[in-house]
Amino acid sequence: MPAAIDEVRHSEKSIALEQIVASARPIVLRGLCADWPLVECARQSDTAFAQELARHDNGAPVDALLIAADANGTIGYDARMQGFNYDHFRVSVTDVLQRLAAYSRTTHPRGVAMQSALIAQCLPTLRETLRLSLLPASVEPRLWIGNRVTTPAHFDSTHNIAVVVCGRRRFTLFPPEQVRNLHVGPLDFAPTAAAMSLARLDAVDDPRWPRLREALAHACVAELEPGDAIYIPPVWWHHVASLERLNALVNYWWSSAAFPGHVAEPGLNALMHAILAYRALPPAEREAWRTILDHYVFEGDAASHIPPERHGVLGALTPQTEAQLRERALLRP
């Protein structure tokens, strides 16, 4: 069995963001948001929770997936991997809630997953009640709603705090180096745009996924209830299973490089550039470039022998050096 994710059980006021991030490990923040009004509604009933959301809904369209009935709620590919196993819709939050209510009365419902809805755009009057004081106000909350849906292991290039506000969710996390063992699908043809593991965690003996058992040996897991939160570091793989007929989560993404605020994908952009630049080179040249990248990017001591005024792009990242790097890399903001 995967190990349990480390936990802290303090109020939000006693938790320092710097301490959380410095650990570079996932952390469960039990009861972080237990006093949110939305969480109180969820504790009353699914109906009370849904009514509270509908009361704040301004009708703005959000992204929602309707997953094929034979997928057992797991987001992924169709049988031939020619497409995905869901239909995509743009509807209101209330429309999603009504569909979920109808499916809750059926034996084998299709999976429903409302994805990454900016609360400021669709539920603006709810926004102020969902602030985390340990994050800057510029980090916007996003809402995810669905029934018993599973999102296979995938990663974000940003920091993430996710708060369960209704139902229960099980998070199974894998450190970045387990990319070799998770049997990840295509980078450029992925459900919801995030490259995902093709392996099912409940099928460790499936011969198609011979390294999955090794990945699970390095996994950690936690089950969260309303008011609980989890911190997920950048590039940690996370498999998320929603366990009730109605589940909802509010999350906050932020970037180390652009803190506070905007969500960018500089790491993924650089990965695509690296594939283009190095993948087709002969092995000896690829190994040489690996050494260069380690020296200039990952080891972090490439300029110690150079006078500080001549560090240039090897020094601290300033607006000027960022502009220089973008120009040289042909990257535009």
Side-chain angles (χ1 to χ4, degrees):
M1 292 292 293
I5 297 174
D6 290 341
E7 299 187 7
V8 293
R9 293 180 175 271
H10 302 289
S11 69
E12 179 186 343
K13 293 179 181 178
S14 67
I15 298 171
L17 182 66
E18 294 78 8
Q19 182 181 2
I20 294 170
V21 171
S23 72
R25 298 278 304 176
I27 300 175
V28 170
L29 310 169
R30 289 286 179 200
L32 180 71
C33 304
D35 60 349
W36 279 3
L38 195 58
V39 170
E40 291 293 337
C41 289
R43 290 200 183 102
Q44 293 175 35
S45 66
D46 289 350
T47 299
F49 178 83
Q51 288 176 342
E52 178 66 7
L53 285 185
R55 186 171 70 86
H56 293 274
D57 183 14
N58 66 0
V62 297
D63 291 304
L65 310 182
L66 189 59
I67 304 167
D70 60 359
N72 295 316
T74 299
I75 297 173
Y77 297 90
D78 60 25
R80 300 181 60 192
M81 212 171 175
Q82 298 302 303
F84 307 124
N85 66 353
Y86 56 79
D87 298 311
H88 174 252
F89 297 94
R90 293 275 291 169
V91 295
S92 72
V93 172
T94 300
D95 289 335
V96 173
L97 293 168
Q98 290 173 341
R99 177 64 65 96
L100 285 165
Y103 279 169
S104 72
R105 297 185 287 271
T106 64
T107 305
H108 300 291
R110 295 182 69 176
V112 177
M114 191 187 91
Q115 301 270 292
S116 190
L118 270 169
I119 289 173
Q121 295 179 2
C122 61
L123 305 165
T125 55
L126 190 63
R127 178 185 180 191
E128 289 306 314
T129 69
L130 302 176
R131 289 295 185 191
L132 286 180
S133 64
L134 53 81
L135 291 175
S138 56
V139 180
E140 292 287 349
R142 296 170 179 264
L143 180 64
W144 309 67
I145 306 175
N147 50 11
R148 292 183 177 92
V149 167
T150 296
T151 304
H154 61 288
F155 76 84
D156 304 313
S157 61
T158 52
H159 299 270
N160 186 9
I161 290 179
V163 183
V164 171
V165 292
C166 184
R168 294 180 299 123
R169 297 200 183 211
R170 182 183 299 119
F171 290 78
T172 306
L173 273 59
F174 303 85
E177 61 268 20
Q178 291 308 308
V179 62
R180 300 174 179 84
N181 298 320
L182 284 169
H183 303 278
V184 179
L187 285 175
D188 55 346
F189 180 63
T192 69
M196 291 180 176
S197 170
L198 302 178
R200 293 184 61 99
L201 300 193
D202 59 355
V204 293
D205 294 321
D206 190 321
R208 292 175 298 173
W209 327 123
R211 298 187 301 279
L212 176 60
R213 192 178 294 277
E214 176 64 20
L216 284 167
H218 298 273
C220 52
V221 66
E223 195 168 298
L224 274 60
E225 297 187 357
D228 294 337
I230 185 171
Y231 166 68
I232 304 175
V235 200
W236 272 70
W237 298 87
H238 45 288
H239 172 283
V240 186
S242 300
L243 306 176
E244 305 291 348
R245 64 181 182 175
L246 178 62
N247 302 271
L249 177 141
V250 173
N251 92 296
Y252 306 79
W253 280 317
W254 74 94
S255 167
S256 296
F259 189 86
H262 88 233
V263 175
E265 295 290 343
L268 289 177
N269 290 343
L271 175 60
M272 297 302 178
H273 275 260
I275 290 172
L276 183 64
Y278 309 125
R279 187 69 180 269
L281 292 175
E285 289 185 51
R286 287 204 308 272
E287 194 59 33
W289 278 109
R290 184 201 301 269
T291 302
I292 295 295
L293 288 170
D294 281 344
H295 179 68
Y296 283 104
V297 179
F298 299 111
E299 293 174 357
D301 190 31
S304 60
H305 59 288
I306 300 173
E309 66 274 15
R310 289 298 180 193
H311 280 187
V313 297
L314 295 178
L317 189 63
T318 66
Q320 180 181 3
T321 56
E322 181 181 354
Q324 288 178 298
L325 286 165
R326 287 185 177 276
E327 187 64 32
R328 286 177 176 270
L330 300 179
L331 293 173
R332 300 292 185 263

